[in-house]
Amino acid sequence: MTTADLSSLGRVSIGDMALSTLFSAILSFLVCFIVIKLVMKLVDKLMANPTVKLDGTIKGFLRNAIYILLWAVAVIIVANALGIDTTSLVAVVSIAGLALSLSVQNILANLFSGLTLLITKPFAAGNFVEAAGKSGLVKTVGLFYTTMDTLDNVSISIPNSEITGSTIYNYSREPLRRVDMTFSTSYDAATEDVKAAILEVVEQDSRILHDPAPFVRLSAYKQSCIEYTVRLWVVNADYWAVYFDMNENVRESFQRHGVAMTYEHLNVHIEQK
């Protein structure tokens, strides 16, 4: 086939489209298809690398986002090869994207908040946390919602945007936790007797750690009582058991040591003239 034959073949048209334009579009599509395949293989290889420490949900989201973006670029390239004005096409896509983003801004806010939680990891499944005015045991951290079980065994799903916009308290992250308590006694009770009664309970409880050392000191003089502050360190899992046991056992210890517990009251003195 001569050059003249090729030239005349290129001038053959299908409808309003020259055959050469169609060949160019097909070639562009094939090149884009091959490039996308190669890029996605590279992405999959990077995602599978053990040094890339990302959550599986994030990996899937990033892979899909890259795949969609590559095909969007491919469509524009092929459209340009077909002689379509890509400037107007890009403008239409941009306007459509803006309209879509405005209509789903709450969904997008939850999505990016979910990605933030999965990347920064302020908590994980199994942690007991307080966030967005709710507290419970975290079950799952998704792209849009975080699900947790409350103490009364109610499953709640909180939008991720509410969680990232609030202060997060993670009670499970650290291995040790401090138990802070306050006990009130009568002014008639000697300080040493009160401290001895509390420390007796502390010594009998093997769950209470001695490093850091337990802290028992007189902390305040109130109108009707004297307050003593107690600070104890325990393993995180023992926190509530030690807290409630201390409340019960200290009361019994006070009774054995003759320490009177008190409450808010008003003494009225009547003078006779």
Side-chain angles (χ1 to χ4, degrees), residues 81-271:
L82 289 172
I84 300 174
D85 186 4
T86 55
T87 303
S88 58
L89 179 62
V90 172
V92 170
V93 172
S94 300
I95 294 173
L98 178 60
L100 180 64
S101 64
L102 290 175
S103 63
V104 296
Q105 57 182 341
N106 289 335
I107 296 176
L108 291 176
N110 288 327
L111 172 63
F112 287 107
S113 295
L115 291 174
T116 300
L117 292 175
L118 290 170
I119 292 172
T120 58
K121 297 183 182 300
F123 52 78
N127 290 164
F128 188 86
V129 303
E130 180 181 344
K134 305 293 182 181
S135 60
L137 190 70
V138 177
K139 302 297 290 183
T140 58
V141 183
L143 285 177
F144 299 97
Y145 292 91
T146 294
T147 303
M148 63 174 65
D149 290 342
T150 62
L151 291 175
D152 54 348
N153 203 31
V154 175
S155 179
I156 56 175
S157 297
I158 307 174
N160 287 330
S161 59
E162 293 186 13
I163 294 179
T164 55
S166 67
T167 301
I168 301 172
Y169 298 89
N170 189 336
Y171 296 104
S172 302
R173 170 165 289 183
E174 299 300 329
L176 302 182
R177 189 173 173 189
R178 193 177 75 184
V179 182
D180 291 344
M181 309 185 74
T182 301
F183 295 98
S184 300
T185 68
S186 167
Y187 269 89
D188 296 330
T191 300
E192 293 304 318
D193 292 340
V194 175
K195 293 172 66 175
I198 296 174
L199 287 173
E200 180 183 283
V201 176
V202 172
E203 291 296 329
Q204 293 174 352
D205 195 329
S206 60
R207 296 167 299 181
I208 297 174
L209 303 178
H210 293 278
D211 185 18
F215 176 92
V216 181
R217 296 297 298 271
L218 189 156
S219 55
Y221 294 96
K222 299 294 184 177
Q223 289 184 347
S224 304
C225 63
I226 295 178
E227 285 189 352
Y228 292 83
T229 295
V230 179
R231 295 173 182 166
L232 313 169
W233 287 91
V234 297
V235 174
N236 204 312
D238 293 333
Y239 178 86
W240 287 111
V242 170
Y243 180 88
F244 290 118
D245 286 347
M246 281 291 296
N247 273 321
E248 294 177 359
N249 296 333
V250 165
R251 180 180 183 181
E252 295 178 358
S253 183
F254 278 172
Q255 290 177 347
R256 290 195 301 269
H257 286 77
V259 175
M261 302 183 72
T262 187
Y263 48 87
E264 291 292 336
H265 61 274
L266 178 65
N267 293 326
V268 179
H269 299 276
I270 300 177
E271 295 184 0

Side-chain angles (χ1 to χ4, degrees), residues 49 62 98:
N49 193 323
L62 291 177
L98 178 60

